[in-house]
Amino acid sequence: MARRGSGRSASWEWSRTAKTRRSILQAAREVFAEHGFAEASVAEFVRRAGSSVGSLYHHFGGKAELFLALWEEHQAAHEEAAAAAVARARQAGVTDPVELFIAGARAFLRGSWERRDLARLFMDGDGPPGFELMRRTRGREWVRQNAVLLGVGGAPRERLTVAVLTSVIGEAAREVAISETEEEAEEVIEAAVTMIRRFGPPRG
């Protein structure tokens, strides 16, 4: 028979573990943003998190794994925000694939402003071995998903159009991340939307 309170104890232990993990991730985010991947140190992560080297290695395995965990969270936040924006647009009655694409693009680009420290970090090219390959692989998957959303086929011109539109969003994200103010970031977003409408696939 389980001891009374064992469930509460397990819940507390899980909460403490999650808090430790989150503290380490937040500390790593700050240090990576300030120093880049190569110059960031595990000792500084631990000091800012108020944790221990053993705890960091237990939760993440090392500096590279911390960097990749932050990147995966950043990408997941982008994808969730874009998917939610597209779903809201559909619920509002939007059916034009280009306008649905724009709804997702706006959410993606606003996330680049909200998490501009991470956006700048990941576009620097300073990462652990294998990161560039992961980024390119994710980029190809992003193009594929955009092709599905836009409802285009596999003809060369259509593939090129989707690749160009995806590149527009990627480059706009860079500009958003280095914007000085939110107003400047919004100007970049609107410029990107104008380009998408201009160069998007034919409607209807």
Side-chain angles (χ1 to χ4, degrees):
M1 180 181 295
R3 291 187 300 109
R4 180 178 297 176
S6 61
R8 184 183 304 170
S9 176
S11 176
W12 178 85
E13 188 66 31
W14 181 90
S15 177
R16 187 179 68 166
T17 297
K19 183 177 180 181
T20 299
R21 179 182 168 86
R22 175 50 50 194
S23 295
I24 294 171
L25 272 175
Q26 181 58 40
R29 176 175 179 168
E30 294 170 5
V31 177
F32 281 134
E34 291 171 18
H35 302 289
F37 175 77
E39 298 300 321
S41 74
V42 168
E44 184 64 9
F45 300 154
V46 168
R47 186 188 70 78
R48 294 200 193 190
S51 188
S52 68
V53 172
S55 183
L56 184 149
Y57 281 101
H58 170 73
H59 287 287
F60 295 99
K63 183 168 81 167
E65 289 82 0
L66 259 173
F67 184 93
L68 295 176
L70 283 169
W71 183 68
E72 289 290 353
E73 280 200 352
H74 182 58
Q75 293 302 311
H78 269 324
E79 291 168 7
E80 289 167 11
V86 171
R88 285 194 298 272
R90 283 193 170 118
Q91 288 172 358
V94 177
T95 58
D96 183 344
V98 173
E99 292 304 318
L100 292 172
F101 182 82
I102 286 171
R106 284 187 193 277
F108 181 97
L109 293 172
R110 285 175 179 146
S112 295
W113 170 255
E114 292 163 5
R115 298 183 304 281
R116 53 196 177 277
D117 58 329
L118 291 176
R120 288 193 295 263
L121 171 66
F122 298 134
M123 71 185 187
D124 277 346
D126 176 24
F131 175 60
E132 194 57 36
L133 176 59
M134 290 178 64
R135 190 162 60 173
R136 286 199 302 270
T137 301
R138 183 66 65 90
R140 287 193 295 270
E141 175 60 19
W142 188 21
V143 171
R144 189 196 67 77
Q145 291 173 356
N146 286 342
V148 172
L149 179 58
L150 287 165
V152 301
R157 182 172 179 176
E158 293 176 326
R159 292 201 311 270
L160 177 60
T161 297
V162 177
V164 167
L165 295 182
T166 303
S167 295
V168 166
I169 299 173
E171 292 305 313
R174 291 173 178 269
E175 293 300 316
V176 165
I178 62 174
S179 294
E180 294 292 333
T181 65
E182 187 171 2
E183 290 74 18
E184 183 180 330
E186 283 293 331
E187 287 181 17
V188 173
I189 293 171
E190 290 311 310
V193 167
T194 297
M195 293 182 71
I196 290 168
R197 288 197 174 113
R198 182 181 303 164
F199 298 113
R203 304 182 183 201

